[in-house]
Each structure stands twice: as C-alpha cells, then as structure tokens.
Amino acid sequence: MGQRIIPEHALQAMAKAMAHRGPDEEAFFRQDGIALASRRLAITGVKDGKQPIANEDGAIQVVFDGDLYDTAEKRAELESRGHVFRTQSDAELLPHLWEEYGDAFFEHLHGQYAFALYDGRQRRLLLARDRFGICPLHWSRQGVWLYFGSEIKTILASGAIPVKPDRRGINHIFTFFAMPGPITCFEGVQTLLPGHFLEIASDSQGKRTMRDRVHWTVDFPDWGKEEQGGDPKQLVEQFEDVLLRAVKRRLHADVPVASYLSGGIDSGLVVAMASKLRGDPIPAFTIQIGDPLLDETGDAWAVAKRVGVKPSIVQCGAMEVLETYPRLVAAAESPVIDTACAALLLLAQEVHRQGFKVALTGEGADEWLASYPWFKLHKLLGMLDFIPGLPVSKYVRKAFLRLTGAPRFPVDVLPRVQAIVGGHNGWLDAYGVMSMSKLRFYSDSMRQVMAENLPYADLELDTQRLNRMHPLHRALSLGARVHLPGLLLHAKGDRIGMHSSVQNRYPFLDDEVFSFLARLHPRWKLRGFKEKYLLRLVAERWLPKTIAWKRKALFRAPLDSFHTGNMPPFVEQLFSPPSLRKTGYFDVNAVEHWRKAFKELRVGSSQRTSIEMGLAGVLSTQLWHHLYIDSSLADLPGLELFAKGRDESSPDPLKIP
C-alpha cells in the first residue's frame, strides 16, 4: 500500500496457480502498492458477479471466495439505507457492509468465506476468514511485501518466497494428523486462523502496521450454565427447524446443487431434508470402499430408498487410493495421513464430471455432538477414577501402552499438554496414538524439532476459558480448533473439492446450528455411551430407525494401501534409503524394520493401526517433499514451478525500489 508497482508477471502467475478454484473468470485490481487477483467459480450472480467487486465510487474493492447465506435480507436492509447495488452477487454485500458498519461488519457476515477488502480512503487492507475455517487463506510477509492467497500454491507462484520445509509443520502432522495452523509445512508461510482477520493499515506518512485480530471464536457456556433442554419433544422440534433452515440456506444457488451420501445419519439427514425442501430428490454421490469391512453403501442405499434418490457410486479400493495420492497431497499442500481423503477426492471429481459446482455434506455434526469413539473411551476410563486421589484411568492407559509395545514420551510431556488444553480429554488419547509414530520413525534432526516444539503450544488456546467449561465441551473446543479446520475442512473439504472446482457446503456448520447446540447440556450430545443423542431423535423422523440409531463408524479407506503387492514404483522409491536420507525427516533403519514387521501383527490391532498410520505419514511426507521441495526423490512429476524455484532471469519483486 505504498508507491511500489506490483510486478505483472508475479500477479499473473499467482492467479494462474489457483485456476482450479475459479475456472469461470479471471480479473484484477491494481493501484500503486496493491494488487488483487480473482479466480471465480460462479455460483450466485453468475452473469454479473465479476470480481473484484466495489462500492458505488470504487473506493472499496473486494475479492471474495465462498457464500453469504442471508444475502436477500442484508441487501434489502442496505438498500433502505441508500446503498446502490449493481449485481446479484452476494460478494457485493461486503463493500457496502464495510461502509455501513466498519470493524463491526463481521457481526453481519453469515456464511463461509475468505476475502481481501481494500479501503482506498482509509488505506486499509483486511484479509479475513469465516468463523469455522471453511474457506482457507494463507499469507507470507517478505520484507515490505505481503503475499496472500486461498492456497499456498498461489503464494509460492509469486516467485518471491524461498520454498523451504518448516519441520514444525511436519511435527504438527505427526501430532494431530491435521494441519490446524497458523504454522504450515512451508517456512515463512502462515495460515490465517478461523474467525481471524489480518489488518494492514498505512498512515499519511506511509508508516504501516499489521495486526492479527479475532472477530469470532468457538465458545461454550461455563460449566453449570448450560441449558438443560426441558421437554425432549419440543427440543427435537426446535433442532429440526434449525437444521431445515440451515439446509435451505445452502440450497440457494444459480447452479444445480448435489449432495454427498454416506451410510451415516449426518449426510443422510442432509439428503433427506434437502430433497424435502426442493420437492424432488437431490442428486447424491456415494463412495463404495473395496474392503467389505469398510464399505457403507448398504446403509447408504437404505437412506436412498427411503428418500427416493438414486446415488451415483464411485468405487475406491487400495489401487485407487495409491493412484490418487500424488494429486491428493498436491491439492492439500501438506502430508495427508487419512487415506479416506483420497476417496473423497475421487468423489469430488465425479461430482464435477457430472456438471455440478456445489455439494452439500455432513461435516460438523461429529464436532458439536461428541460423535468420535475416543470421547466414549475417555468417559469409560474416567468412570474408573471413582476413588478421590487414585487416578486408575492413568494406570490403565499406561498398561495398555506397555502391552502394545508403544514407545514412551518423556514424563513431562503429557502434564504440559494437559495444562494447555484444560485437562485430559478424548482427543489426547487419539492424538497420542498418532504421536507414537514420532518415536518410531523420526530421525535425530526431527527428534530435535520434537524436543523444541510442542505443537499444542502453537495452538494458542485460551486455557483459562477452557477451564471454565464442562469437560466434554473442552474436548469439543479442541476438536473445533484442530480436527475441524485442520483435516475435515482442509484435506477432506475445501482443498479436494476445489481441486475439482466443487464447492462444499456444510449445514452443520451453520451459525444458528452451532449456537443452538453449543448452549445445550452435554447430555444431549453424549447420553450415556450414545453419541449424537439429540440428532438421532431428529433423524428418527427422516431416516430408517436402523440408520438413526446405528453405531458410529468412522469413514475410512484402506490404511495399508501402501504395502500391497501392486504398488506403483513411486511408493518404493519414496521409501528407499536414498530418498529418506535426502529429506532427513525419518530414520532409515526404523522405516525398513517396521515396513516388514507390522505385517506380522494382527489386522485391526491397536499396534498395527498405529504403525500403519505412521508409515502412511512417512510416505505422504516424502511425497509432499518430492512434489514441492525436491522432485528427484521418485520417477513422478513434481510441481516444477515450486520445486525448481523462481526463474532467476525474471525481475525480483523484492528488489524493486
């Protein structure tokens, strides 16, 4: 926001790098010291919603990714105050809301979004992300320049940023099997956190300031202040109405809308409600996993028959996972341990192939309604601590780890982590299984990173606030900070959807849905050992009872895909000692030992699952390094634009006077 001229080649390259996010239109805004680029996936205001989009006099310019779900109401309100609209795009709300409310305009934004807003009068730039982190936004400060984009590829494509690994980011992956931010796997590149905005201001003397500010955060009531719920029938009706409104908001589009359908109640309920609201069955898409133990298509067909939809089926087995993984890691911009992400990438591809740009999905219900199995395990173990001062559950966990042969962390690590998150909860048990892979596979240099970097500290949690919540709500808060934006909305959501130019929409991540569920007492979420209790009562009205009350099953693809007899050559090449030594992340002997030894363990055992996850982490980290850092690790194309670095003959934007 000074007098420097933004290099044209850099801006064009950055826009090109995110063409998959916006294949419909490309446009730019330039002034001395600032440039904005837009790649548009036209969903609302298809004919006239070209970006960047401005207010009446063009002083406020916006590039926007996502959707706002109360456009008609806000538009009418702003028009009554004298604002003039030129398009039917929801993005046009932003400059007018900013004019009307200033910093308070975030209170009036309801939807999923990431945007850059430049106010030329005030010489202020805002970079903002929605409340739950549905739409991504990354940034990097290089000297006096600030680069930002929806994906890290966009920033790297500028040619101004050295492409180097940040080993702390890899340590986060091996802690959380997620990339929660703000740290990424790229040195010097940060993720803007959900509910945050970056404010860059320049005064009349040219002095600039940059602040990372919070406009909203996930929160739950103080322990004992939760709403008890009263009459169950009335509560079910209220929740049903809230969900219907959330689904209805996400059906609004100027293009056809589809939905994902698994065998669970979350997507099943979304499909049922969407079909009812539309007046005809919504097009649905279902994954069929090749392993009979993991396949849920039988339950999906039961929902489909009840609702009247005929889902398109996408096959996914071990070979499909293997063949898809390079594209998956390239899309995610980080290692990906959850192989189910590959299945969902294939699903998004089929949605796009059939001509859809929007898909409804059920993510978020597990987060607000305590649906993960480790919540129940934590509750069960907690029941053993009935004698004050005698932590039986602690000893049981230790005994279990000894029986499984798991390596041990230093004794001070767990107490430090518990202090940060407000006490032990189910997520720590789940993350502990993943973290064992550090002790099994890390090289000496990565062990040094592990000693110096405690990923939980990087989360910057409000521990005092967590300590005032019910223990279950503390766990839900941690999941909302880590698992939701770092995995579900990242490697299972935005990145794989937008890789195929498909926008995912999430009724369970509606502001009203969260507000309704957050204030309720935990017994409506986890009743005894039955998760999603209130949601199941609603689902009884819409789905077969066998589905509404079925046992929770995590959606998984085969974890041992990387150890089959028909592996593509790149798998062995990335696991090879020369490749492992080049990256330096992992102990060569340990990787070789466990690749052979784990096959002797019982399929489905905790130890085997832990090792499989670790080996998937090793391979995907090697693959990420090959794609982005050094494309000599395997006979597989790398992302040459980034792997080889910037064209040294081109002007360096950092050196422009």
Side-chain angles (χ1 to χ4, degrees):
M1 296 189 299
Q3 301 305 311
R4 294 174 178 83
I5 299 172
I6 308 300
E8 182 68 23
H9 74 275
L11 189 62
Q12 293 286 345
M14 293 175 76
K16 183 179 180 181
M18 61 176 183
H20 53 282
R21 298 190 68 87
D24 297 328
E25 280 179 352
E26 177 183 74
F28 303 91
F29 167 79
R30 300 175 185 84
Q31 279 187 3
D32 287 350
I34 186 167
L36 304 175
S38 167
R39 294 292 317 209
R40 184 171 178 239
L41 182 65
I43 292 173
T44 59
V46 171
K47 295 181 180 180
D48 60 6
K50 188 174 183 179
Q51 298 183 30
I53 206 159
N55 64 332
E56 293 90 340
D57 65 3
I60 301 168
Q61 297 281 340
V62 173
V63 289
F64 173 85
D65 174 32
D67 285 290
L68 300 176
Y69 295 127
D70 52 358
T71 303
E73 298 90 334
K74 290 298 181 188
R75 184 187 181 105
E77 174 192 326
L78 289 164
E79 286 177 333
S80 72
R81 295 171 182 258
H83 294 267
V84 177
F85 287 79
R86 298 188 181 93
T87 78
Q88 297 302 310
S89 170
D90 52 352
E92 196 178 2
L93 285 176
L94 287 167
H96 297 288
L97 286 170
W98 174 252
E99 280 187 301
E100 190 68 33
Y101 298 107
D103 287 350
F105 88 137
F106 286 104
E107 299 170 16
H108 301 268
L109 301 181
H110 301 287
Q112 56 189 71
Y113 57 80
F115 64 81
L117 181 151
Y118 176 63
D119 187 331
R121 298 192 199 103
Q122 299 184 27
R123 298 180 63 77
R124 292 174 73 188
L125 174 69
L126 299 185
L127 308 178
R129 196 173 177 202
D130 65 63
R131 296 179 174 187
F132 301 112
I134 298 170
C135 296
L137 189 53
H138 306 278
W139 62 275
S140 178
R141 187 171 185 174
Q142 300 290 322
V144 297
W145 294 86
L146 179 71
Y147 297 85
F148 59 88
S150 292
E151 297 187 8
I152 297 174
K153 297 179 193 68
T154 306
I155 299 172
L156 300 182
S158 70
I161 298 159
V163 186
K164 298 179 180 178
D166 190 329
R167 292 179 175 233
R168 296 174 302 166
I170 294 169
N171 196 34
H172 281 210
I173 289 287
F174 275 79
T175 302
F176 304 123
F177 50 90
M179 197 82 259
I183 289 169
T184 71
C185 288
F186 295 90
E187 188 176 290
V189 180
Q190 295 194 53
T191 295
L192 187 66
L193 295 181
H196 282 232
F197 68 102
L198 206 62
E199 177 189 48
I200 303 94
S202 181
D203 63 22
S204 57
Q205 283 75 44
K207 182 180 178 181
R208 297 180 190 85
T209 58
M210 185 171 75
R211 292 191 295 167
D212 188 338
R213 300 174 60 186
V214 179
H215 66 81
W216 190 86
T217 188
V218 169
D219 199 13
F220 292 89
D222 286 354
W223 194 353
K225 301 293 185 181
E226 307 91 355
E227 289 187 11
Q228 299 302 308
D231 178 21
K233 183 178 179 181
Q234 183 179 15
L235 193 63
V236 167
E237 290 174 351
Q238 290 172 349
F239 186 33
E240 184 179 57
D241 288 344
V242 167
L243 272 178
L244 279 166
R245 287 195 292 272
V247 173
K248 184 178 181 179
R249 283 190 275 267
R250 282 152 185 82
L251 286 171
H252 176 69
D254 296 335
V255 296
V257 177
S259 186
Y260 293 160
L261 176 63
S262 71
I265 63 173
D266 311 335
S267 62
L269 194 53
V270 168
V271 166
M273 288 185 164
S275 298
K276 176 71 173 180
L277 289 164
R278 283 162 44 100
D280 65 284
I282 190 170
F285 292 80
T286 296
I287 283 285
Q288 184 168 36
I289 302 295
D291 186 338
L293 297 176
L294 303 177
D295 182 31
E296 288 190 282
T297 49
D299 290 335
W301 277 111
V303 173
K305 184 177 180 180
R306 172 71 172 264
V307 176
V309 304
K310 295 180 179 179
S312 298
I313 304 296
V314 177
Q315 303 290 335
C316 183
M319 287 309 299
E320 286 83 2
V321 168
L322 283 169
E323 292 167 358
T324 302
Y325 236 74
R327 279 181 292 134
L328 170 63
V329 172
E333 303 174 330
S334 68
V336 179
I337 294 172
D338 188 345
T339 52
C341 300
L344 291 167
L345 187 144
L346 294 172
L347 194 64
Q349 286 180 187
E350 180 62 17
V351 170
H352 174 78
R353 191 190 69 80
Q354 293 196 26
F356 294 95
K357 293 182 178 181
V358 180
L360 307 188
T361 181
E363 268 78 20
D366 291 336
E367 273 56 47
W368 312 145
L369 290 152
S371 186
Y372 294 106
W374 37 88
F375 291 145
K376 291 188 281 189
L377 175 64
H378 177 74
K379 185 172 185 177
L380 177 63
L381 291 175
M383 295 173 67
L384 302 175
D385 299 331
F386 58 90
I387 301 176
L390 185 60
V392 177
S393 62
K394 176 181 176 180
Y395 302 131
V396 170
R397 286 185 175 94
K398 285 186 175 182
F400 172 77
L401 293 175
R402 289 195 190 98
L403 287 172
T404 59
R408 299 184 189 181
F409 280 90
V411 294
D412 67 319
V413 171
L414 184 57
R416 288 168 61 199
V417 170
Q418 289 175 332
I420 290 171
V421 304
H424 200 90
N425 67 60
W427 281 111
L428 300 192
D429 291 325
Y431 294 151
V433 173
M434 183 64 229
S435 293
M436 295 301 169
S437 297
K438 301 179 187 183
L439 301 178
R440 287 192 179 102
F441 297 112
Y442 271 6
S443 65
D444 289 342
S445 62
M446 282 300 294
R447 285 175 182 267
Q448 184 62 34
V449 173
M450 183 177 69
E452 296 171 353
N453 170 242
L454 185 63
Y456 291 89
D458 294 331
L459 299 176
E460 299 178 0
L461 301 174
D462 185 346
T463 303
Q464 289 186 340
R465 181 74 197 97
L466 290 171
N467 283 329
R468 296 203 302 271
M469 297 178 189
H470 186 283
L472 182 63
H473 283 161
R474 289 181 211 152
L476 299 186
S477 293
L478 182 60
R481 171 65 182 88
V482 177
H483 195 70
L484 181 63
L487 178 63
L488 297 185
L489 299 176
H490 176 73
K492 279 188 173 180
D494 174 270
R495 294 309 172 79
I496 61 168
M498 293 300 276
H499 179 73
S500 294
S501 305
V502 173
Q503 181 196 77
N504 293 334
R505 292 182 176 181
Y506 307 89
F508 287 101
L509 297 182
D510 184 85
D511 296 342
E512 188 182 7
V513 170
F514 172 75
S515 178
F516 180 87
L517 291 173
R519 63 178 182 259
L520 289 179
H521 191 278
R523 69 168 172 269
W524 293 104
K525 300 152 190 177
L526 184 60
R527 177 72 63 99
F529 290 98
K530 181 57 70 176
E531 74 285 346
K532 292 183 184 173
Y533 183 72
L534 180 60
L535 184 65
R536 293 177 185 278
L537 294 177
V538 173
E540 276 189 335
R541 301 181 170 198
W542 295 84
L543 305 174
K545 282 197 173 183
T546 55
I547 303 298
W549 292 97
K550 67 174 283 192
R551 184 171 60 86
K552 165 69 179 178
L554 293 175
F555 174 55
R556 293 196 295 115
L559 258 176
D560 59 357
S561 302
F562 308 119
H563 317 291
T564 59
N566 260 333
M567 293 179 295
F570 79 83
V571 175
E572 285 296 343
Q573 291 165 355
L574 292 173
F575 272 133
S576 71
S579 289
L580 291 167
R581 291 190 185 99
K582 272 190 177 182
T583 64
Y585 304 129
F586 306 109
D587 182 286
V588 175
N589 294 329
V591 172
E592 185 177 0
H593 166 75
W594 285 111
R595 285 195 73 202
K596 297 175 182 177
F598 92 96
K599 296 179 182 180
E600 303 302 319
L601 301 172
R602 180 175 58 84
V603 174
S605 68
S606 298
Q607 187 179 10
R608 176 163 174 151
T609 299
S610 175
I611 295 167
E612 285 176 340
M613 290 173 65
L615 287 170
V618 170
L619 183 71
S620 61
T621 302
Q622 292 286 103
L623 180 55
W624 169 83
H625 190 99
H626 171 82
L627 292 171
Y628 283 97
I629 309 297
D630 177 2
S631 58
S632 69
L633 302 184
D635 297 329
L636 184 74
L639 301 179
E640 299 299 326
L641 173 66
F642 314 132
K644 290 184 177 178
R646 184 179 55 81
D647 178 1
E648 294 300 328
S649 65
S650 65
D652 187 343
L654 298 181
K655 295 181 180 179
I656 290 180

